[in-house]
Amino acid sequence: MTASVLEQLHAALGDAVTTDPEALAVTRADKSGHVSASPPLALVVARSIEDVQTTMRIADATGTPVVTRGAGTGLAGGALGSAGEIVLSTLAMNRVLEVNEPDLLAVVEPGVINGDFNTMLGERGLWFAPDPASRAISTIGGNIATGAGGLLCAKYGVTRDAVLGLKAVLADGRLLTLGHRSVKGVTGLDLTSLMVGSEGVLGVIVEATVRIRRIPVGAVATVAAYFPNVVAAAAATAAVTASGVQPSIMELIDPNALASIHRYLGLPAPLAGETHVVIQTDGPGSEADAAAIAEVLVAAGGRAELSTDAATGEHLLAVRRALHPSLEALGTALIEDVSVPRSQLAAMFAAIADIERKYGIVIPTVAHAGDGNLHPNFIFDGSEVPDLIWQAADELFQTALRLGGTLTGEHGIGILKRRWLGDELGGDQLALQQSIKAVFDPKNLLNPGKVF
C-alpha cells in the first residue's frame, strides 16, 4: 500500500511531494519539544486548494492518515508527523487574496505569516488584532487551527473573534465554504466557529476571511509596574479589571520568569521576588486610562511609571516576548497554558508557588493577566518529560479546573493534554465531540491520535 500511495502522490502532485529524510525529520517536532517516534511517509507542500483536495482524495482512497502543518510553531504537539502518515504543509499557500477596506475584511491563504500580514496592513493604516507572541513566525492558518490568543486579547479578543468565514477541505476532498462576509450571520449551525480551534481533526483550512481594523487614533500609553511578590501583582491586575478601565494589553511576569529574561537580555538582576506588570492602553483616551490604571496599581502596593513613548512600550513588550528563548539556559521547558477567571489569578499563582515547593522544581510563569491566561513553564533536564513533572502538571491542571478555568486558553490539546480532556469535558461531552469528529472524518484520517 505504501508504494501505491507514494506513486499516486508523485503522479498527481509532482515536485510538491518529497520523501527527503531531512525534510521529513523537520515535521516530527514542533515548538513544544515533543518529537514523534519515526518520520512520516511523505511531505506534501500544497500550493493551492486543488493540491489539498488531491492529497485528501488520495488519502481517502488509500486509507492514509494526514497531518496538516503550517510553520510548526505549535506548543501542544498537534502537527507532528509520524510513521505511515502524509504531512500536508500549507506554508506555501501564503497569498493575501483581498484587502477590503470599506468592509474591513481581508481574505488570506493559511500560510500567511501573522506579523507579515500586519506589516502589510499597517502601510494602509489597517491592522489585524490577533497578536500571538509568535506572530513573527506563526501562520494565520495555524492561529485559526489552534484558536490562538496573544497579548491583545484583553481588549480585542482571540483569533476566533476575528474569523468571519473559512474554506476547508474535508477528509474525502470535498471543499466547504463556511461563514460569510457580512458583520452578522446566523444561518444554520456555526460551523465556522466549530472549525476554529479544531486542531486539524475536522478539516484542512485553506482560506480565511478575517476581520481587520483601522489602527486606533492617539498614542499608545504604557504603564510599567513592579510588585514585591507575584500574588500581590496578580491581585493588582484583577483590581484593574474590576476598575472598569479597559487596557489593550496587560501582561504579568513572575519572579522566576523575570530573572530568566533579565539574564538572557543582559539587564540588571531584578530584586528577589519582584514581579513585573506591563499594561498598555490605546485610543483617544489612552493617556487618561493609563493614569487611572497606574493609580489602581499603586493603591495595590506597586510602583508604577507611565510613558507615551512608543520605543519604551515596544521595549517592554520585547522583554515579555523574550521569555521562551531565555528559558533555554535553564534546561528543557514544558511550556504550558491554562486559563482561570481573572478574579482567580492570585489564587492560581499561589497554587503554582505551592507546587514548586512541593515538587522541588522551578516553574517560571507569565500571564496574559487581562484575560486570565497563564503560561507556566516546567523546567527539567533531558529530552523526556520526567514523571515528577507530569505529576506537578497534573496538580496544576486540576487546580485551574477547580478554580473555574480550563486546560488550555490558546495552545490547544494536541498530544500534550489528551489524558486530561475528559476531566474538563466530562464523559457525555467528550463522547459528543468524538461523534462530531466521526461525522466530519468517518475514517479517522485527519490528525489521528491528536486531541482525542
Side-chain angles (χ1 to χ4, degrees):
M1 184 183 79
T2 296
S4 175
V5 174
L6 291 176
E7 287 171 358
Q8 290 184 54
L9 289 172
H10 281 296
L13 297 166
D15 61 3
V17 183
T18 182
T19 56
D20 175 69
E22 290 187 9
L24 298 184
V26 170
T27 70
R28 294 175 57 193
D30 63 6
K31 292 295 184 181
S32 71
H34 290 264
V35 180
S36 67
S38 52
L41 175 69
L43 169 65
V44 175
V45 181
R47 299 153 296 195
S48 65
I49 292 175
E50 290 73 23
D51 283 355
V52 174
Q53 290 183 280
T54 297
T55 302
M56 293 314 307
R57 287 175 184 137
I58 292 171
D60 180 61
T62 59
T64 308
V66 175
V67 176
T68 307
R69 185 178 174 93
T73 63
L75 291 164
L80 309 187
S82 191
E85 298 174 339
I86 300 167
V87 172
L88 175 58
S89 171
T90 58
L91 195 57
M93 297 174 65
N94 58 6
R95 296 178 298 163
V96 176
L97 301 174
E98 179 186 355
V99 176
N100 185 318
E101 189 169 346
D103 288 331
L104 288 177
L105 63 83
V107 182
V108 299
E109 292 185 321
V112 172
I113 299 295
N114 188 298
D116 293 345
F117 183 46
N118 256 326
T119 297
M120 184 270 287
L121 290 176
E123 295 170 355
R124 303 172 62 163
L126 302 170
W127 174 48
F128 181 57
D131 181 44
S134 60
R135 63 182 182 176
I137 55 174
S138 62
T139 64
I140 292 178
N143 295 163
I144 294 170
T146 59
L151 276 63
L152 288 158
C153 297
K155 185 173 183 178
Y156 294 103
V158 294
T159 298
R160 173 176 278 107
D161 301 310
V163 177
L164 287 168
L166 295 170
K167 288 185 179 179
V169 175
L170 294 179
D172 60 7
R174 285 178 292 162
L175 178 65
L176 292 183
T177 299
L178 307 173
H180 43 81
R181 292 169 63 96
S182 54
V183 174
K184 294 180 178 179
V186 293
T187 306
L189 300 178
D190 188 357
L191 297 185
T192 307
S193 291
L194 181 62
M195 194 66 67
V196 177
S198 60
E199 301 188 52
V201 304
L202 300 181
V204 182
I205 294 166
V206 291
E207 186 179 292
T209 301
V210 297
R211 302 176 192 269
I212 56 177
R213 299 171 181 266
R214 304 191 198 284
I215 293 175
V217 298
V220 172
T222 303
V223 179
Y226 291 88
F227 290 83
N229 61 74
V230 69
V231 173
T237 62
V240 170
T241 299
S243 74
V245 183
Q246 178 63 72
S248 56
I249 290 174
M250 185 156 60
E251 296 291 301
L252 185 156
I253 308 173
D254 87 344
N256 288 324
L258 189 62
S260 177
I261 292 169
H262 276 226
R263 282 193 299 269
Y264 175 73
L265 296 177
L267 300 173
L271 299 175
E274 192 167 59
T275 299
H276 182 40
V277 173
V278 58
I279 300 175
Q280 287 192 336
T281 56
D282 61 10
S286 61
E287 194 165 356
D289 286 345
I293 286 171
E295 289 182 8
V296 173
L297 298 177
V298 170
R303 65 184 199 276
E305 295 182 359
L306 191 160
S307 174
T308 55
D309 177 61
T312 298
E314 282 304 309
H315 167 72
L316 290 169
L317 292 183
V319 168
R320 159 62 182 86
R321 291 190 174 104
L323 173 65
H324 289 151
S326 81
L327 297 178
E328 294 177 6
L330 301 181
T332 307
L334 174 64
I335 302 169
E336 270 309 332
D337 161 46
V338 296
S339 288
V340 296
R342 290 169 291 188
S343 61
Q344 298 297 323
L345 265 178
M348 191 69 216
F349 272 106
I352 291 171
D354 289 342
I355 292 168
E356 286 181 311
R357 287 189 292 268
K358 178 177 178 179
Y359 292 92
I361 58 177
V362 178
I363 311 175
T365 302
V366 295
H368 306 310
D371 58 23
N373 188 189
L374 302 93
H375 295 306
N377 298 271
F378 295 82
I379 305 299
F380 59 93
D381 295 323
S383 58
E384 295 295 323
V385 182
D387 288 342
L388 178 77
I389 295 295
W390 283 126
Q391 292 167 17
D394 174 76
E395 194 163 325
L396 187 146
F397 298 154
Q398 299 298 341
T399 300
L401 295 178
R402 188 171 64 253
L403 292 173
T406 178
L407 292 169
T408 175
E410 55 188 12
H411 293 171
I413 296 295
I415 60 174
L416 200 93
K417 293 182 176 175
R418 289 176 303 184
R419 71 182 86 172
W420 291 281
L421 190 61
D423 291 342
E424 178 170 342
L425 299 183
D428 290 342
Q429 187 184 165
L430 179 58
L432 181 60
Q433 291 203 17
Q434 291 170 324
S435 297
I436 292 170
K437 156 75 168 168
V439 168
F440 277 76
D441 180 19
K443 297 181 182 178
N444 194 29
L445 298 179
L446 289 168
N447 226 2
K450 312 292 172 47
V451 184
F452 301 114

